């Protein structure tokens, strides 16, 4: 019977355990989105995870939606990320990069030349964007012209190539949490009448084109996908998500992806949902990574019962760089300082002590 702490295969990699560090936006890369030594220290501290999925990283200037988040579209950003991957690999870890385009979840102050954010349809989301001037209300985005979409697919492909140049073990395509791919998938944000809108087949077209491009760049065993079928994050919804995501996962079968990373329930919130996540687990041939509100006991039970191959932990990794050891020994977990989650310096980022030092 498998254990949370047993070795396992993910794509072409053998991982030391089944604990995955989920991507966590921390907004600590400065104006140009270039990771540095501080970020390398942060990730290396957490290298005992079976695999790290690094924070969401914009594939282009247009893809940015938050201040001080990293990119993977310039040579300087590639060099910065190389510091991170080398540090993680020196400590025996494995690390993937999450490829991100936020779509409408942005603000003109974050966009090239102050332009409007883009989306499948010109529908303004409720909420506020985190900008360098503080939180500002979202605006109504500009609907993408059909002819523009191929260029964004190419941005994903180029970002995957750059991730490889930076030394990542693989990439995760961010198709969750109300960002651009999710906006194309769900009918609450996609009211297009071209080949990318209307039917389920059309609404999944953009996702499949992105997957095909990224797989073409890296190979199937180095690519995974994150989805959040039932999450309302970033003011998104679908009128009937089960057939939509059943179809999407079935359509992914031809790619034989390394993993499917599923937010079960509302992102960062309730796990209660009528959605049948195990239907996706049964349909997907690769590794299934379960995510959302798991503690050690829940994760162990999910692995032992075969409901997941890996379990991703997000916020617990912030204040517990040695989360794997704490879960193994059933030690208490430290609580993160909410005031230092986004932006700032080493405080609340790399200064959380591991268990042994905390007890000394």
């Amino acid at each position: 019977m498998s254990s949370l702490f047993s070795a396992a295969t993910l794509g072409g990699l053998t991982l030391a355990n089944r604990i995955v560090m989920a991507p966590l936006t921390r907004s600590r890369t400065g104006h140009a989105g270039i990771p540095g030594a501080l970020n390398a220290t942060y990730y290396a501290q957490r290298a005992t995870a079976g695999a790290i999925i690094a924070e969401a990283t914009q594939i282009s200037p247009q893809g940015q939606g938050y201040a001080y988040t990293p990119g993977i579209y310039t040579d300087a950003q590639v060099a910065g990320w190389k510091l991170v991957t080398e540090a993680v690999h020196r400590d025996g870890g494995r690390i993937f990069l999450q490829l991100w385009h936020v779509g409408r979840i942005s603000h003109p102050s974050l966009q090239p030349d102050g332009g409007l954010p883009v989306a499948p349809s010109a529908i303004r989301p409720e909420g506020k964007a985190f900008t360098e001037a503080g939180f500002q209300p979202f605006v109504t985005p500009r609907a993408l012209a059909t002819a523009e979409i191929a260029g964004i697919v190419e941005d994903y492909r180029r970002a995957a190539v750059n991730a490889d140049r930076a030394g990542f073990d693989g990439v995760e395509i961010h198709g969750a949490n109300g960002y651009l791919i999710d906006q194309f998938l769900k009918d609450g944000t996609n009211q297009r009448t071209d080949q990318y809108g209307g039917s389920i087949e059309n609404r999944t077209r953009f996702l499949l084109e992105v997957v095909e491009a990224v797989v073409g760049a890296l190979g199937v065993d180095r690519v995974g996908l994150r989805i959040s079928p039932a999450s309302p994050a970033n003011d998104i919804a679908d009128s009937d998500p089960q057939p939509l995501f059943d179809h999407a996962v079935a359509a992914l079968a031809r790619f034989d992806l390394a993993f499917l990373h599923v937010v079960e329930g509302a992102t960062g919130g309730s796990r209660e949902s009528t959605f049948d996540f195990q239907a996706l687990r049964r349909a997907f041939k690769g590794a299934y990574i379960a995510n959302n509100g798991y503690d050690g006991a829940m994760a162990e039970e999910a692995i032992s019962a075969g409901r997941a191959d890996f379990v991703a932990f997000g916020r617990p990794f912030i204040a517990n760089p040695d989360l794997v050891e704490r879960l193994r020994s059933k030690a208490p977990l430290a609580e993160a300082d909410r005031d230092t989650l986004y932006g700032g310096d080493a405080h609340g980022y790399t200064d959380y002590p591991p268990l042994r030092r905390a007890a000394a």
Side-chain angles (χ1 to χ4, degrees), residues 319-322 325-326 331-335 351-360:
N320 301 275
D322 56 347
E325 180 182 347
R326 292 185 189 235
L333 301 186
E335 291 293 324
D351 61 353
Y352 288 107
L355 185 64
R356 291 175 185 173
R357 184 151 58 88

Side-chain angles (χ1 to χ4, degrees), residues 148-161:
E148 294 180 273
I149 294 174
I152 297 178
V153 174
E154 171 60 17
D155 288 338
Y156 276 98
R157 188 201 66 79
R158 188 180 303 111
V161 170

Side-chain angles (χ1 to χ4, degrees), residues 99-187:
L99 305 182
W100 191 32
H101 191 307
V102 301
R104 68 180 190 158
I105 304 302
S106 187
H107 186 270
S109 66
L110 297 166
Q111 290 291 302
D113 301 319
L116 289 174
V118 299
S121 303
I123 302 171
R124 183 180 67 84
E126 294 296 322
K128 295 182 178 182
F130 175 50
T131 75
E132 293 187 18
F135 285 95
Q136 300 190 60
F138 290 128
V139 300
T140 300
R142 175 178 67 81
L144 284 161
T146 305
E148 294 180 273
I149 294 174
I152 297 178
V153 174
E154 171 60 17
D155 288 338
Y156 276 98
R157 188 201 66 79
R158 188 180 303 111
V161 170
N162 285 342
D164 183 57
R165 291 173 56 210
F168 283 96
D169 295 294
V171 300
E172 174 179 273
I173 298 167
H174 197 342
N177 296 351
Y179 298 119
L180 185 62
I181 290 174
D182 210 19
Q183 292 161 29
F184 269 93
L185 287 171
K186 293 177 179 172
D187 58 18

Side-chain angles (χ1 to χ4, degrees), residues 7-162:
T9 299
L10 183 67
L13 301 173
T14 298
L15 308 185
N17 57 66
R18 297 170 184 264
I19 295 168
V20 172
M21 178 177 167
L24 295 159
T25 293
R26 305 300 307 278
S27 293
R28 279 176 167 85
T29 55
H31 302 278
I34 302 170
L38 182 66
N39 310 103
T41 298
Y42 169 77
Y43 283 109
Q45 288 175 339
R46 291 153 178 80
T48 53
I52 294 169
I53 303 174
E55 64 207 270
T57 299
Q58 51 256 14
I59 60 170
S60 67
Q62 184 193 72
Q64 183 174 6
Y66 299 75
Y68 314 121
T69 51
I72 190 66
Y73 53 88
T74 70
D75 288 343
Q77 291 164 351
V78 170
W81 275 120
K82 195 168 183 63
L83 296 176
V84 174
T85 61
E86 288 176 346
V88 170
H89 290 153
R90 276 196 303 270
D91 284 358
R94 300 289 195 175
I95 184 166
F96 289 69
L97 184 66
Q98 190 183 60
L99 305 182
W100 191 32
H101 191 307
V102 301
R104 68 180 190 158
I105 304 302
S106 187
H107 186 270
S109 66
L110 297 166
Q111 290 291 302
D113 301 319
L116 289 174
V118 299
S121 303
I123 302 171
R124 183 180 67 84
E126 294 296 322
K128 295 182 178 182
F130 175 50
T131 75
E132 293 187 18
F135 285 95
Q136 300 190 60
F138 290 128
V139 300
T140 300
R142 175 178 67 81
L144 284 161
T146 305
E148 294 180 273
I149 294 174
I152 297 178
V153 174
E154 171 60 17
D155 288 338
Y156 276 98
R157 188 201 66 79
R158 188 180 303 111
V161 170
N162 285 342

Side-chain angles (χ1 to χ4, degrees), residues 182 186 227-231 238 241 245 262-265 275 277 280:
D182 210 19
K186 293 177 179 172
I227 57 173
S228 56
S231 179
D238 188 81
F245 283 91
V262 182
V263 179
E264 299 175 342
F275 191 93
F277 298 103
L280 306 185

